[in-house]
Amino acid sequence: MSRAPLPGLSRRNFLSAAPLAAAGGMAAAVPSRKRPRIAAVVSEYRRYSHAQHIVDRFLWGYGWGNRHHRPPMDVVSVYVDQTPENTLIHDRMRRFPKMKKYPTIAEALTQGGSRLAVDGVLLIGEHGKYPKNEKGQTLYPRYEWFKEITRVFRDSGRSVPVFNDKHLSWKWEWAKEMVDISRELDFAFLAGSSVPVTPRLPSIDMPLGVEIEEALCLAVGGMDGYDIHALEGLQCMVERRRGGETGAASIHGLKGDPVYQAMNAGSWEAGGWDPELFQACLCRSHSLTPSREGFNHVLPSLEEVPGLIPERTPVAYRFEYLDGLKGTILLMEGLVMDFTFAARLKGGEVISTQMFLPPREVCNFFNPQCHHVEQMFLTGKAGYPVERTLLTTGLTAAGVESVWQGQKRLETPHLNIRYQPTQESTFWRS
């Protein structure tokens, strides 16, 4: 079933346009004589791993709208870097005989031959046992694998679309090189978190061309893992402001007690953030920890917040954009267990929403992400700009660096990344 785009957005109507219109809608035609062949390059393939969530959806399909959708393509080859005892790869090859496991990335892309033999690549370098550096970053080999993938492209004289799960790399210079190579070899490149495309409660988007003064995302998780999700959740909203994206000028990473000091500062200018945006995010949460016995949704006082975050040290990234917009992400696991967003528009109005993440056993927030990837494989065009994830990758690395350097504010002249968002909303509304 194909879906026509809805009318454009207005300042009075925050309901988004039809999802995925920029990617060509639901029913991109696939020639009956050839089903696209997909290669998966993954760190490990076990239950709850990102490889399982994503590749399984390309094998079995996923719920989309009011039906079970099966991608019109085949996963024909896979490279698995690590195989723990609970690996699912052998089970999946037994169930899907078309899918074969290869000992190298090059062989997975060439299906054991000498030339590129697939029509799309899933690069999922998330989970598994990999070393950490002194800053606490997990050294996932996404960049190294991307270089191996694109080496096959060069040797074969052609390229195909690539999806990279989460941030591009733990190292900014490598992330920038990845995007540069995708432009040089002229292939569609999609990356990032599932948070920007998951359903929202309420189902709103930022009106195109609106002026925004300050934005905040309150989230679960910790640094070098969930900071990228919170940054992507904020970025997908604010990139729609007047003039499009301009890039980031600076970032200040805080961890532990300095986060609470900033929270009590009362404003951005005083070293914190807009308390009304923080309150709006708390009120959109479906997992707010009760601050008093016997009540299930009481707004905690600022004095009560520290006692509600027992498991993890809170983290804040305060960053300024080149056009003057102020942004903050707060990682406060224990206080909340979800992702909420709020922004103050010019003139004073506050809008807010929750980026809805279904329970772990379902994880249907992967459905719209997989659908965008599927459409890219079918059309050869990415449904939203990879520059978004280039910027959030840079902010993630800079936030970690800021905290590691003693919670020092850092200038980020290298993050002068400009791009325009899609006109239509790309999150899941159906």
Side-chain angles (χ1 to χ4, degrees), residues 363-379:
C363 287
N364 275 348
F365 47 87
F366 281 102
N367 292 12
Q369 186 180 46
C370 286
H371 193 72
H372 276 289
V373 177
E374 176 188 336
Q375 291 299 308
M376 179 181 67
F377 289 157
L378 292 171
T379 66

Side-chain angles (χ1 to χ4, degrees), residues 281-354:
C281 284
L282 290 172
C283 292
R284 287 295 184 194
S285 174
H286 284 178
S287 64
L288 180 62
T289 299
S291 57
R292 271 146 268 172
E293 186 176 353
F295 294 88
N296 57 10
H297 203 291
V298 173
L299 183 71
S301 67
L302 297 184
E303 292 75 21
E304 290 172 319
V305 168
L308 301 176
I309 310 178
E311 300 298 328
R312 288 181 182 264
T313 301
V315 172
Y317 294 167
R318 302 175 66 250
F319 43 100
E320 297 181 71
Y321 290 84
L322 286 165
D323 63 359
L325 174 64
K326 311 296 190 295
T328 303
I329 66 162
L330 299 173
L331 305 180
M332 292 187 165
E333 183 162 328
L335 176 64
V336 296
M337 295 295 290
D338 48 19
F339 289 78
T340 53
F341 167 87
R344 184 178 297 281
L345 308 185
K346 186 175 182 180
E349 182 180 3
V350 171
I351 63 170
S352 62
T353 190
Q354 178 190 154

